[in-house]
Amino acid sequence: VTAADDAQEADRAGGMIVDMSTNFRPHDPADQAPSTKDVEPRLSLGLDTFGDLAVGDDGQPISYAEAIRLVVEEAVMADGAGVDAFAVGEHHRPEYSISSPEMVLGGIASRTERIRLGSGVTVLSSDDPVRVFQRFATLDAIARGRAEVILGRGSFTESFPLFGYDLRDYDVLFEEKLDLFVKLLDERPVTWSGTTRAPLEDADVFPKTEAGLRTWVGVGGTPQSVIRTARHGLRLMLAVIGGRPQRFRPYLELYRKACEEFGTTAWPVGLHSPGFVAETDEEAREMYWPGYQSMRNRIGVERGWPPASRQEFEHEIAGGSLYVGSPDTVARKIATTVADLGVARFDLIYTMGPQARSARLRAVELFGTRVAPIVRELVGHRTEVTA
Amino acid sequence: MSDHGPPVIGIVGAGKLGTVLARLALGAGYDVLLASSGPPQRLALIAQFLAPGAETVTAYEAIRRADVVILAIPLSRLPEMPPADLAGKVVVDATNHWLEVDGRRQEILPDAEGTSEYVQRLLPQARVVKAFNHIGYHDLDGAGLPPGDPRRRAVAIASDDHDALDFVAELVDGLGFDPVALGDLRAGRRLEPGTPAFGASLSASDLRAVLGEPVCHPDAA
């Protein structure tokens, strides 16, 4: 830890206790006092989407407006089906309809009762931390304390030129803005200065929330990001989009140990991965593959990957990080991941490119009514056995 | 390089790839020196959980003490490596150009130049070998297997230095992968993003089929 880090820590030490206690929400099952046990008393199961443009009954992509309304319908369905959390991710690409997560979540908030509403992720690097806090504090009011924000650097870069940021500042933008955001979480006047936005002197920010804003950092596997999240005392959401999920186990240990060293709270860790649920394994695969292939190839062209192969797809389903299949298959795979890693939250990114809208809505329903109960039973059983 | 015992491996960069390679090497019984640009305490934490058994050191110490230095840092940070200290060393270049981290490729090197040729140009007296750049770190993680195992994956390697190439071939094998020699560093362009081999996690025969015959360019030697 450098001298600068030390100074930052010391500077914030006074506010940290307040921050964490206000951030604590007793009514949330995942918020039981963090224990040293691997498995939390109750697991949170969520659904994530970027508002992908689905395909209508006529086989044509639906409009952006329809895609946004579809996400709202799916969230309402998820709420009714017993899903614990719903997250929408910010993107600025033609395949996705959601660039303003809080707007969509505000609409969802007014039509749902119990589901937790978050972004996954909010690209903090190319946004203003003050505005991000204000928007989510506002959402939290409408949602009656159900709002949460997952901050990230994002895996795409379109937002940088769009909002006038330089990619060369990729690291410093996130570092500085996260630092400011953490100060804002105290909900007291903030004094801050840096190189990426105008300084603040004793600036008070409104609205205040009723019980603090739950804040996560989405991390894709960079060890340094795990440590940064621990240093700030924020929650860790692992984005696992390929390979064996079990390989992330040391990252959870790293997070806990780093929290211990920094004297911050080691919150229960979450994980999100892509997948899809249908009545049968075969149906799920056939529904998922065309969208997977299309998205994987579109992104692959930009990243220099060769075209997607069916073999790689099947390989990821069998032993990697694609949770595609019948409710039973998906539930077993999720339960294994949850138990092996000891995560307290699992979110399924349930949309992938141009899928049939009716199949998507059905996947949401199946996830809540069929997958979630099996996962809970399996994880509970396994916890008893290993306890 | 050591006259006896397995070579000491120095890894510069403790990110996704660096920590995966460190784990593979430790698992295969090598001594590993792990270095990064961050604060030493942070590096110690990372090593404790993601590469238990690795000795954490400064980049200079890793370079000085290691028999082979693996560069697992962003391409755009390679100019920070000290050419004089790397002279005569076997240097494994595992980097790729990555827009998010490095910015535009044209701002770092000419279009016509391969990234490992660029590394050789930065470190003219180092014995640069391109390796571990085409296969994803998550495909390497925990995937080392004994020779002859039909599930063994292949790692393509390329170098202008024949002895260094042989040395790294042995290392790749020691880590649990089949080395596939591709030719010189210029041929190594065929492993970069945008090529059919990029992202390939294949058996040696399948990877050879994708890559074609090894090539050495007479004018490059």
Side-chain angles (χ1 to χ4, degrees), chain A residues 1 155 157 170 221-224 227 247 250 253-254 257 303-306, chain B residues 14 16 39 41-42 45-46 49-50 100 137-138 141 193-194 196 198:
Chain A
V1 181
S155 55
T157 56
Y170 187 78
T222 302
Q224 288 77 3
I227 293 176
R247 69 182 207 86
E253 288 160 11
L254 175 64
K257 176 69 177 179
R303 306 236 157 146
W305 299 326
Chain B
K16 297 172 184 173
Q41 267 173 274
R42 191 176 72 184
L45 257 182
I46 290 172
F49 293 97
L50 302 187
E100 284 86 341
Y137 59 88
H138 56 270
D141 200 3
F198 187 71

PDB file of all heavy atoms in Angstrom, chain A residues 1 155 157 170 221-224 227 247 250 253-254 257 303-306, chain B residues 14 16 39 41-42 45-46 49-50 100 137-138 141 193-194 196 198:
ATOM      1  N   VAL A   1       0.853  -1.199   0.000  1.00  0.00           N
ATOM      2  CA  VAL A   1       0.000   0.000   0.000  1.00  0.00           C
ATOM      3  C   VAL A   1       0.887   1.246   0.000  1.00  0.00           C
ATOM      4  O   VAL A   1       1.804   1.353   0.809  1.00  0.00           O
ATOM      5  CB  VAL A   1      -0.919   0.022   1.241  1.00  0.00           C
ATOM      6  CG1 VAL A   1      -1.810   1.258   1.210  1.00  0.00           C
ATOM      7  CG2 VAL A   1      -1.775  -1.232   1.280  1.00  0.00           C
ATOM      8  N   SER A 155     -17.260  -3.434 -20.137  1.00  0.00           N
ATOM      9  CA  SER A 155     -16.397  -4.244 -20.996  1.00  0.00           C
ATOM     10  C   SER A 155     -16.365  -3.687 -22.413  1.00  0.00           C
ATOM     11  O   SER A 155     -15.673  -4.190 -23.269  1.00  0.00           O
ATOM     12  CB  SER A 155     -16.867  -5.698 -21.001  1.00  0.00           C
ATOM     13  OG  SER A 155     -18.212  -5.776 -21.371  1.00  0.00           O
ATOM     14  N   THR A 157     -16.244   0.113 -24.847  1.00  0.00           N
ATOM     15  CA  THR A 157     -15.641   1.446 -24.710  1.00  0.00           C
ATOM     16  C   THR A 157     -16.419   2.550 -25.427  1.00  0.00           C
ATOM     17  O   THR A 157     -15.960   3.683 -25.467  1.00  0.00           O
ATOM     18  CB  THR A 157     -14.207   1.425 -25.283  1.00  0.00           C
ATOM     19  OG1 THR A 157     -14.274   0.959 -26.635  1.00  0.00           O
ATOM     20  CG2 THR A 157     -13.308   0.496 -24.486  1.00  0.00           C
ATOM     21  N   TYR A 170      -8.505   5.527 -18.979  1.00  0.00           N
ATOM     22  CA  TYR A 170      -9.359   4.420 -18.541  1.00  0.00           C
ATOM     23  C   TYR A 170      -9.204   4.100 -17.051  1.00  0.00           C
ATOM     24  O   TYR A 170     -10.183   3.993 -16.317  1.00  0.00           O
ATOM     25  CB  TYR A 170      -8.985   3.195 -19.383  1.00  0.00           C
ATOM     26  CG  TYR A 170      -9.843   1.970 -19.215  1.00  0.00           C
ATOM     27  CD1 TYR A 170     -11.093   1.889 -19.831  1.00  0.00           C
ATOM     28  CD2 TYR A 170      -9.394   0.883 -18.479  1.00  0.00           C
ATOM     29  CE1 TYR A 170     -11.866   0.752 -19.706  1.00  0.00           C
ATOM     30  CE2 TYR A 170     -10.163  -0.265 -18.351  1.00  0.00           C
ATOM     31  CZ  TYR A 170     -11.402  -0.336 -18.969  1.00  0.00           C
ATOM     32  OH  TYR A 170     -12.163  -1.454 -18.839  1.00  0.00           O
ATOM     33  N   GLY A 221     -12.333 -10.110 -13.108  1.00  0.00           N
ATOM     34  CA  GLY A 221     -11.265 -11.075 -12.847  1.00  0.00           C
ATOM     35  C   GLY A 221      -9.883 -10.468 -12.707  1.00  0.00           C
ATOM     36  O   GLY A 221      -8.894 -11.177 -12.565  1.00  0.00           O
ATOM     37  N   THR A 222      -9.806  -9.128 -12.737  1.00  0.00           N
ATOM     38  CA  THR A 222      -8.524  -8.479 -12.490  1.00  0.00           C
ATOM     39  C   THR A 222      -8.296  -8.443 -10.979  1.00  0.00           C
ATOM     40  O   THR A 222      -9.085  -7.850 -10.251  1.00  0.00           O
ATOM     41  CB  THR A 222      -8.531  -7.043 -13.052  1.00  0.00           C
ATOM     42  OG1 THR A 222      -8.810  -7.120 -14.448  1.00  0.00           O
ATOM     43  CG2 THR A 222      -7.200  -6.359 -12.838  1.00  0.00           C
ATOM     44  N   PRO A 223      -7.227  -9.098 -10.509  1.00  0.00           N
ATOM     45  CA  PRO A 223      -7.019  -9.167  -9.054  1.00  0.00           C
ATOM     46  C   PRO A 223      -6.987  -7.785  -8.401  1.00  0.00           C
ATOM     47  O   PRO A 223      -7.533  -7.586  -7.325  1.00  0.00           O
ATOM     48  CB  PRO A 223      -5.656  -9.858  -8.927  1.00  0.00           C
ATOM     49  CG  PRO A 223      -5.419 -10.557 -10.221  1.00  0.00           C
ATOM     50  CD  PRO A 223      -6.188  -9.820 -11.262  1.00  0.00           C
ATOM     51  N   GLN A 224      -6.366  -6.827  -9.092  1.00  0.00           N
ATOM     52  CA  GLN A 224      -6.246  -5.479  -8.530  1.00  0.00           C
ATOM     53  C   GLN A 224      -7.622  -4.854  -8.296  1.00  0.00           C
ATOM     54  O   GLN A 224      -7.797  -4.068  -7.368  1.00  0.00           O
ATOM     55  CB  GLN A 224      -5.414  -4.596  -9.466  1.00  0.00           C
ATOM     56  CG  GLN A 224      -3.930  -4.922  -9.494  1.00  0.00           C
ATOM     57  CD  GLN A 224      -3.574  -6.165 -10.316  1.00  0.00           C
ATOM     58  OE1 GLN A 224      -4.438  -6.780 -10.931  1.00  0.00           O
ATOM     59  NE2 GLN A 224      -2.307  -6.544 -10.318  1.00  0.00           N
ATOM     60  N   ILE A 227      -9.098  -6.046  -5.000  1.00  0.00           N
ATOM     61  CA  ILE A 227      -8.492  -5.360  -3.855  1.00  0.00           C
ATOM     62  C   ILE A 227      -9.026  -3.933  -3.738  1.00  0.00           C
ATOM     63  O   ILE A 227      -9.314  -3.453  -2.652  1.00  0.00           O
ATOM     64  CB  ILE A 227      -6.956  -5.397  -3.975  1.00  0.00           C
ATOM     65  CG1 ILE A 227      -6.489  -6.855  -3.813  1.00  0.00           C
ATOM     66  CG2 ILE A 227      -6.296  -4.493  -2.950  1.00  0.00           C
ATOM     67  CD1 ILE A 227      -5.013  -7.087  -3.991  1.00  0.00           C
ATOM     68  N   ARG A 247     -12.892 -21.562 -10.705  1.00  0.00           N
ATOM     69  CA  ARG A 247     -11.569 -20.956 -10.686  1.00  0.00           C
ATOM     70  C   ARG A 247     -11.582 -19.586  -9.989  1.00  0.00           C
ATOM     71  O   ARG A 247     -10.527 -19.021  -9.699  1.00  0.00           O
ATOM     72  CB  ARG A 247     -10.995 -20.852 -12.093  1.00  0.00           C
ATOM     73  CG  ARG A 247     -11.674 -19.866 -12.983  1.00  0.00           C
ATOM     74  CD  ARG A 247     -11.066 -19.868 -14.365  1.00  0.00           C
ATOM     75  NE  ARG A 247     -11.255 -18.571 -14.995  1.00  0.00           N
ATOM     76  CZ  ARG A 247     -10.424 -17.543 -14.819  1.00  0.00           C
ATOM     77  NH1 ARG A 247      -9.370 -17.664 -14.055  1.00  0.00           N
ATOM     78  NH2 ARG A 247     -10.659 -16.396 -15.389  1.00  0.00           N
ATOM     79  N   PRO A 250     -10.413 -18.527  -5.383  1.00  0.00           N
ATOM     80  CA  PRO A 250      -9.366 -17.726  -4.713  1.00  0.00           C
ATOM     81  C   PRO A 250      -9.666 -16.229  -4.686  1.00  0.00           C
ATOM     82  O   PRO A 250      -9.201 -15.520  -3.805  1.00  0.00           O
ATOM     83  CB  PRO A 250      -8.114 -18.006  -5.557  1.00  0.00           C
ATOM     84  CG  PRO A 250      -8.410 -19.250  -6.315  1.00  0.00           C
ATOM     85  CD  PRO A 250      -9.888 -19.306  -6.514  1.00  0.00           C
ATOM     86  N   GLU A 253     -11.543 -15.455  -1.564  1.00  0.00           N
ATOM     87  CA  GLU A 253     -10.621 -15.454  -0.424  1.00  0.00           C
ATOM     88  C   GLU A 253      -9.786 -14.174  -0.429  1.00  0.00           C
ATOM     89  O   GLU A 253      -9.554 -13.564   0.617  1.00  0.00           O
ATOM     90  CB  GLU A 253      -9.715 -16.698  -0.483  1.00  0.00           C
ATOM     91  CG  GLU A 253     -10.475 -17.970  -0.154  1.00  0.00           C
ATOM     92  CD  GLU A 253      -9.776 -19.228  -0.660  1.00  0.00           C
ATOM     93  OE1 GLU A 253      -8.607 -19.140  -1.074  1.00  0.00           O
ATOM     94  OE2 GLU A 253     -10.414 -20.296  -0.631  1.00  0.00           O
ATOM     95  N   LEU A 254      -9.365 -13.762  -1.610  1.00  0.00           N
ATOM     96  CA  LEU A 254      -8.604 -12.519  -1.734  1.00  0.00           C
ATOM     97  C   LEU A 254      -9.431 -11.335  -1.246  1.00  0.00           C
ATOM     98  O   LEU A 254      -8.941 -10.472  -0.513  1.00  0.00           O
ATOM     99  CB  LEU A 254      -8.182 -12.319  -3.197  1.00  0.00           C
ATOM    100  CG  LEU A 254      -7.473 -11.008  -3.548  1.00  0.00           C
ATOM    101  CD1 LEU A 254      -6.133 -10.904  -2.827  1.00  0.00           C
ATOM    102  CD2 LEU A 254      -7.248 -10.902  -5.061  1.00  0.00           C
ATOM    103  N   LYS A 257      -9.778 -11.453   2.637  1.00  0.00           N
ATOM    104  CA  LYS A 257      -8.515 -11.138   3.301  1.00  0.00           C
ATOM    105  C   LYS A 257      -8.175  -9.649   3.142  1.00  0.00           C
ATOM    106  O   LYS A 257      -7.722  -8.995   4.081  1.00  0.00           O
ATOM    107  CB  LYS A 257      -7.394 -12.015   2.710  1.00  0.00           C
ATOM    108  CG  LYS A 257      -6.031 -11.725   3.246  1.00  0.00           C
ATOM    109  CD  LYS A 257      -5.877 -12.129   4.711  1.00  0.00           C
ATOM    110  CE  LYS A 257      -4.435 -11.872   5.171  1.00  0.00           C
ATOM    111  NZ  LYS A 257      -4.255 -12.225   6.572  1.00  0.00           N
ATOM    112  N   ARG A 303     -13.041  -7.802 -31.332  1.00  0.00           N
ATOM    113  CA  ARG A 303     -11.978  -8.225 -30.416  1.00  0.00           C
ATOM    114  C   ARG A 303     -10.952  -9.151 -31.062  1.00  0.00           C
ATOM    115  O   ARG A 303     -10.002  -9.568 -30.408  1.00  0.00           O
ATOM    116  CB  ARG A 303     -12.605  -8.957 -29.224  1.00  0.00           C
ATOM    117  CG  ARG A 303     -13.666  -8.129 -28.559  1.00  0.00           C
ATOM    118  CD  ARG A 303     -13.403  -7.928 -27.115  1.00  0.00           C
ATOM    119  NE  ARG A 303     -14.105  -6.742 -26.662  1.00  0.00           N
ATOM    120  CZ  ARG A 303     -14.640  -6.592 -25.472  1.00  0.00           C
ATOM    121  NH1 ARG A 303     -14.533  -7.554 -24.609  1.00  0.00           N
ATOM    122  NH2 ARG A 303     -15.252  -5.488 -25.138  1.00  0.00           N
ATOM    123  N   GLY A 304     -11.185  -9.507 -32.296  1.00  0.00           N
ATOM    124  CA  GLY A 304     -10.223 -10.348 -32.983  1.00  0.00           C
ATOM    125  C   GLY A 304     -10.384 -11.833 -32.721  1.00  0.00           C
ATOM    126  O   GLY A 304      -9.457 -12.602 -32.918  1.00  0.00           O
ATOM    127  N   TRP A 305     -11.592 -12.247 -32.254  1.00  0.00           N
ATOM    128  CA  TRP A 305     -11.825 -13.670 -32.059  1.00  0.00           C
ATOM    129  C   TRP A 305     -12.299 -14.304 -33.365  1.00  0.00           C
ATOM    130  O   TRP A 305     -13.008 -13.672 -34.148  1.00  0.00           O
ATOM    131  CB  TRP A 305     -12.922 -13.925 -31.033  1.00  0.00           C
ATOM    132  CG  TRP A 305     -12.647 -13.395 -29.663  1.00  0.00           C
ATOM    133  CD1 TRP A 305     -11.452 -13.304 -29.042  1.00  0.00           C
ATOM    134  CD2 TRP A 305     -13.626 -12.868 -28.751  1.00  0.00           C
ATOM    135  NE1 TRP A 305     -11.621 -12.767 -27.791  1.00  0.00           N
ATOM    136  CE2 TRP A 305     -12.929 -12.497 -27.584  1.00  0.00           C
ATOM    137  CE3 TRP A 305     -15.012 -12.689 -28.817  1.00  0.00           C
ATOM    138  CZ2 TRP A 305     -13.574 -11.948 -26.480  1.00  0.00           C
ATOM    139  CZ3 TRP A 305     -15.650 -12.151 -27.711  1.00  0.00           C
ATOM    140  CH2 TRP A 305     -14.944 -11.781 -26.567  1.00  0.00           C
ATOM    141  N   PRO A 306     -11.967 -15.580 -33.561  1.00  0.00           N
ATOM    142  CA  PRO A 306     -12.550 -16.281 -34.704  1.00  0.00           C
ATOM    143  C   PRO A 306     -14.039 -16.552 -34.452  1.00  0.00           C
ATOM    144  O   PRO A 306     -14.499 -16.400 -33.316  1.00  0.00           O
ATOM    145  CB  PRO A 306     -11.754 -17.579 -34.780  1.00  0.00           C
ATOM    146  CG  PRO A 306     -11.091 -17.737 -33.459  1.00  0.00           C
ATOM    147  CD  PRO A 306     -11.048 -16.402 -32.788  1.00  0.00           C
TER     148      PRO A 306
ATOM    149  N   ALA B  14       0.916  -9.023 -12.560  1.00  0.00           N
ATOM    150  CA  ALA B  14       0.151  -9.904 -11.664  1.00  0.00           C
ATOM    151  C   ALA B  14      -1.344  -9.744 -11.908  1.00  0.00           C
ATOM    152  O   ALA B  14      -2.142  -9.737 -10.990  1.00  0.00           O
ATOM    153  CB  ALA B  14       0.506  -9.610 -10.209  1.00  0.00           C
ATOM    154  N   LYS B  16      -4.695 -10.888 -14.711  1.00  0.00           N
ATOM    155  CA  LYS B  16      -5.389 -12.142 -15.003  1.00  0.00           C
ATOM    156  C   LYS B  16      -4.417 -13.188 -15.526  1.00  0.00           C
ATOM    157  O   LYS B  16      -4.332 -14.301 -15.010  1.00  0.00           O
ATOM    158  CB  LYS B  16      -6.480 -11.901 -16.043  1.00  0.00           C
ATOM    159  CG  LYS B  16      -7.577 -10.966 -15.574  1.00  0.00           C
ATOM    160  CD  LYS B  16      -8.507 -10.636 -16.745  1.00  0.00           C
ATOM    161  CE  LYS B  16      -9.560  -9.624 -16.348  1.00  0.00           C
ATOM    162  NZ  LYS B  16     -10.365  -9.176 -17.489  1.00  0.00           N
ATOM    163  N   PRO B  39       1.634  -1.400  -5.507  1.00  0.00           N
ATOM    164  CA  PRO B  39       2.271  -1.421  -4.197  1.00  0.00           C
ATOM    165  C   PRO B  39       2.635  -2.859  -3.777  1.00  0.00           C
ATOM    166  O   PRO B  39       1.868  -3.774  -4.055  1.00  0.00           O
ATOM    167  CB  PRO B  39       1.190  -0.878  -3.258  1.00  0.00           C
ATOM    168  CG  PRO B  39       0.105  -0.355  -4.112  1.00  0.00           C
ATOM    169  CD  PRO B  39       0.259  -0.907  -5.470  1.00  0.00           C
ATOM    170  N   GLN B  41       2.548  -4.445  -0.997  1.00  0.00           N
ATOM    171  CA  GLN B  41       1.588  -5.136  -0.122  1.00  0.00           C
ATOM    172  C   GLN B  41       0.427  -5.710  -0.914  1.00  0.00           C
ATOM    173  O   GLN B  41      -0.089  -6.767  -0.596  1.00  0.00           O
ATOM    174  CB  GLN B  41       1.043  -4.172   0.927  1.00  0.00           C
ATOM    175  CG  GLN B  41       1.827  -4.200   2.216  1.00  0.00           C
ATOM    176  CD  GLN B  41       1.358  -3.105   3.155  1.00  0.00           C
ATOM    177  OE1 GLN B  41       1.834  -1.966   3.062  1.00  0.00           O
ATOM    178  NE2 GLN B  41       0.435  -3.429   4.038  1.00  0.00           N
ATOM    179  N   ARG B  42       0.016  -4.974  -1.932  1.00  0.00           N
ATOM    180  CA  ARG B  42      -1.072  -5.450  -2.778  1.00  0.00           C
ATOM    181  C   ARG B  42      -0.622  -6.692  -3.540  1.00  0.00           C
ATOM    182  O   ARG B  42      -1.364  -7.673  -3.639  1.00  0.00           O
ATOM    183  CB  ARG B  42      -1.496  -4.343  -3.747  1.00  0.00           C
ATOM    184  CG  ARG B  42      -2.780  -4.652  -4.481  1.00  0.00           C
ATOM    185  CD  ARG B  42      -3.221  -3.500  -5.345  1.00  0.00           C
ATOM    186  NE  ARG B  42      -2.366  -3.360  -6.512  1.00  0.00           N
ATOM    187  CZ  ARG B  42      -2.482  -2.386  -7.411  1.00  0.00           C
ATOM    188  NH1 ARG B  42      -3.401  -1.448  -7.251  1.00  0.00           N
ATOM    189  NH2 ARG B  42      -1.678  -2.334  -8.449  1.00  0.00           N
ATOM    190  N   LEU B  45      -0.663  -9.689  -1.282  1.00  0.00           N
ATOM    191  CA  LEU B  45      -2.029 -10.214  -1.105  1.00  0.00           C
ATOM    192  C   LEU B  45      -2.446 -11.049  -2.306  1.00  0.00           C
ATOM    193  O   LEU B  45      -2.998 -12.146  -2.164  1.00  0.00           O
ATOM    194  CB  LEU B  45      -3.005  -9.049  -0.995  1.00  0.00           C
ATOM    195  CG  LEU B  45      -3.547  -8.650   0.359  1.00  0.00           C
ATOM    196  CD1 LEU B  45      -4.522  -7.501   0.191  1.00  0.00           C
ATOM    197  CD2 LEU B  45      -4.228  -9.814   1.057  1.00  0.00           C
ATOM    198  N   ILE B  46      -2.177 -10.512  -3.473  1.00  0.00           N
ATOM    199  CA  ILE B  46      -2.552 -11.223  -4.703  1.00  0.00           C
ATOM    200  C   ILE B  46      -1.842 -12.568  -4.754  1.00  0.00           C
ATOM    201  O   ILE B  46      -2.460 -13.602  -5.023  1.00  0.00           O
ATOM    202  CB  ILE B  46      -2.224 -10.360  -5.944  1.00  0.00           C
ATOM    203  CG1 ILE B  46      -3.181  -9.166  -6.015  1.00  0.00           C
ATOM    204  CG2 ILE B  46      -2.310 -11.195  -7.229  1.00  0.00           C
ATOM    205  CD1 ILE B  46      -2.824  -8.144  -7.077  1.00  0.00           C
ATOM    206  N   PHE B  49      -3.172 -15.462  -2.377  1.00  0.00           N
ATOM    207  CA  PHE B  49      -4.376 -16.207  -2.731  1.00  0.00           C
ATOM    208  C   PHE B  49      -4.391 -16.706  -4.169  1.00  0.00           C
ATOM    209  O   PHE B  49      -4.970 -17.742  -4.461  1.00  0.00           O
ATOM    210  CB  PHE B  49      -5.626 -15.347  -2.462  1.00  0.00           C
ATOM    211  CG  PHE B  49      -5.818 -15.110  -1.012  1.00  0.00           C
ATOM    212  CD1 PHE B  49      -5.378 -13.944  -0.429  1.00  0.00           C
ATOM    213  CD2 PHE B  49      -6.380 -16.095  -0.211  1.00  0.00           C
ATOM    214  CE1 PHE B  49      -5.513 -13.739   0.935  1.00  0.00           C
ATOM    215  CE2 PHE B  49      -6.517 -15.897   1.149  1.00  0.00           C
ATOM    216  CZ  PHE B  49      -6.087 -14.724   1.720  1.00  0.00           C
ATOM    217  N   LEU B  50      -3.803 -15.945  -5.067  1.00  0.00           N
ATOM    218  CA  LEU B  50      -3.910 -16.321  -6.476  1.00  0.00           C
ATOM    219  C   LEU B  50      -2.660 -17.030  -6.991  1.00  0.00           C
ATOM    220  O   LEU B  50      -2.712 -17.637  -8.058  1.00  0.00           O
ATOM    221  CB  LEU B  50      -4.210 -15.085  -7.337  1.00  0.00           C
ATOM    222  CG  LEU B  50      -5.499 -14.329  -6.965  1.00  0.00           C
ATOM    223  CD1 LEU B  50      -5.769 -13.235  -7.981  1.00  0.00           C
ATOM    224  CD2 LEU B  50      -6.704 -15.254  -6.878  1.00  0.00           C
ATOM    225  N   GLU B 100      -9.034  -1.417 -25.097  1.00  0.00           N
ATOM    226  CA  GLU B 100      -9.475  -0.833 -23.828  1.00  0.00           C
ATOM    227  C   GLU B 100      -8.303  -0.405 -22.961  1.00  0.00           C
ATOM    228  O   GLU B 100      -8.385   0.550 -22.213  1.00  0.00           O
ATOM    229  CB  GLU B 100     -10.317  -1.827 -23.017  1.00  0.00           C
ATOM    230  CG  GLU B 100     -11.728  -2.009 -23.514  1.00  0.00           C
ATOM    231  CD  GLU B 100     -11.822  -3.047 -24.618  1.00  0.00           C
ATOM    232  OE1 GLU B 100     -10.781  -3.354 -25.240  1.00  0.00           O
ATOM    233  OE2 GLU B 100     -12.925  -3.551 -24.858  1.00  0.00           O
ATOM    234  N   TYR B 137      -6.664 -16.755 -20.977  1.00  0.00           N
ATOM    235  CA  TYR B 137      -6.148 -17.123 -19.649  1.00  0.00           C
ATOM    236  C   TYR B 137      -7.097 -18.086 -18.953  1.00  0.00           C
ATOM    237  O   TYR B 137      -6.673 -18.931 -18.184  1.00  0.00           O
ATOM    238  CB  TYR B 137      -5.896 -15.875 -18.791  1.00  0.00           C
ATOM    239  CG  TYR B 137      -7.126 -15.031 -18.572  1.00  0.00           C
ATOM    240  CD1 TYR B 137      -7.979 -15.300 -17.511  1.00  0.00           C
ATOM    241  CD2 TYR B 137      -7.462 -14.006 -19.439  1.00  0.00           C
ATOM    242  CE1 TYR B 137      -9.121 -14.549 -17.321  1.00  0.00           C
ATOM    243  CE2 TYR B 137      -8.590 -13.255 -19.262  1.00  0.00           C
ATOM    244  CZ  TYR B 137      -9.427 -13.529 -18.199  1.00  0.00           C
ATOM    245  OH  TYR B 137     -10.560 -12.802 -18.035  1.00  0.00           O
ATOM    246  N   HIS B 138      -8.408 -17.979 -19.218  1.00  0.00           N
ATOM    247  CA  HIS B 138      -9.336 -18.894 -18.536  1.00  0.00           C
ATOM    248  C   HIS B 138      -9.245 -20.302 -19.132  1.00  0.00           C
ATOM    249  O   HIS B 138      -9.639 -21.262 -18.491  1.00  0.00           O
ATOM    250  CB  HIS B 138     -10.763 -18.365 -18.559  1.00  0.00           C
ATOM    251  CG  HIS B 138     -11.289 -18.073 -19.925  1.00  0.00           C
ATOM    252  ND1 HIS B 138     -11.136 -16.840 -20.511  1.00  0.00           N
ATOM    253  CD2 HIS B 138     -11.932 -18.841 -20.804  1.00  0.00           C
ATOM    254  CE1 HIS B 138     -11.684 -16.878 -21.705  1.00  0.00           C
ATOM    255  NE2 HIS B 138     -12.166 -18.065 -21.920  1.00  0.00           N
ATOM    256  N   ASP B 141      -6.046 -21.702 -17.282  1.00  0.00           N
ATOM    257  CA  ASP B 141      -6.166 -21.862 -15.837  1.00  0.00           C
ATOM    258  C   ASP B 141      -6.506 -23.307 -15.457  1.00  0.00           C
ATOM    259  O   ASP B 141      -7.546 -23.833 -15.848  1.00  0.00           O
ATOM    260  CB  ASP B 141      -7.254 -20.912 -15.323  1.00  0.00           C
ATOM    261  CG  ASP B 141      -7.118 -20.665 -13.824  1.00  0.00           C
ATOM    262  OD1 ASP B 141      -6.165 -21.169 -13.211  1.00  0.00           O
ATOM    263  OD2 ASP B 141      -7.980 -19.940 -13.282  1.00  0.00           O
ATOM    264  N   PRO B 193      -4.736 -10.975 -32.406  1.00  0.00           N
ATOM    265  CA  PRO B 193      -6.184 -10.788 -32.544  1.00  0.00           C
ATOM    266  C   PRO B 193      -6.565 -10.587 -34.009  1.00  0.00           C
ATOM    267  O   PRO B 193      -5.850  -9.902 -34.743  1.00  0.00           O
ATOM    268  CB  PRO B 193      -6.449  -9.518 -31.727  1.00  0.00           C
ATOM    269  CG  PRO B 193      -5.357  -9.505 -30.702  1.00  0.00           C
ATOM    270  CD  PRO B 193      -4.155 -10.113 -31.378  1.00  0.00           C
ATOM    271  N   GLY B 194      -7.654 -11.184 -34.422  1.00  0.00           N
ATOM    272  CA  GLY B 194      -8.108 -11.069 -35.802  1.00  0.00           C
ATOM    273  C   GLY B 194      -7.656 -12.210 -36.686  1.00  0.00           C
ATOM    274  O   GLY B 194      -8.076 -12.314 -37.836  1.00  0.00           O
ATOM    275  N   PRO B 196      -7.218 -16.512 -37.320  1.00  0.00           N
ATOM    276  CA  PRO B 196      -8.000 -17.705 -36.949  1.00  0.00           C
ATOM    277  C   PRO B 196      -7.481 -18.378 -35.677  1.00  0.00           C
ATOM    278  O   PRO B 196      -8.239 -19.050 -34.981  1.00  0.00           O
ATOM    279  CB  PRO B 196      -7.809 -18.641 -38.153  1.00  0.00           C
ATOM    280  CG  PRO B 196      -7.425 -17.752 -39.290  1.00  0.00           C
ATOM    281  CD  PRO B 196      -6.673 -16.603 -38.680  1.00  0.00           C
ATOM    282  N   PHE B 198      -6.349 -16.866 -33.012  1.00  0.00           N
ATOM    283  CA  PHE B 198      -6.533 -16.083 -31.800  1.00  0.00           C
ATOM    284  C   PHE B 198      -7.738 -16.581 -31.008  1.00  0.00           C
ATOM    285  O   PHE B 198      -8.833 -16.699 -31.543  1.00  0.00           O
ATOM    286  CB  PHE B 198      -6.686 -14.595 -32.106  1.00  0.00           C
ATOM    287  CG  PHE B 198      -6.695 -13.766 -30.862  1.00  0.00           C
ATOM    288  CD1 PHE B 198      -5.534 -13.605 -30.125  1.00  0.00           C
ATOM    289  CD2 PHE B 198      -7.861 -13.182 -30.395  1.00  0.00           C
ATOM    290  CE1 PHE B 198      -5.531 -12.862 -28.955  1.00  0.00           C
ATOM    291  CE2 PHE B 198      -7.871 -12.439 -29.226  1.00  0.00           C
ATOM    292  CZ  PHE B 198      -6.704 -12.285 -28.512  1.00  0.00           C
TER     293      PHE B 198
END
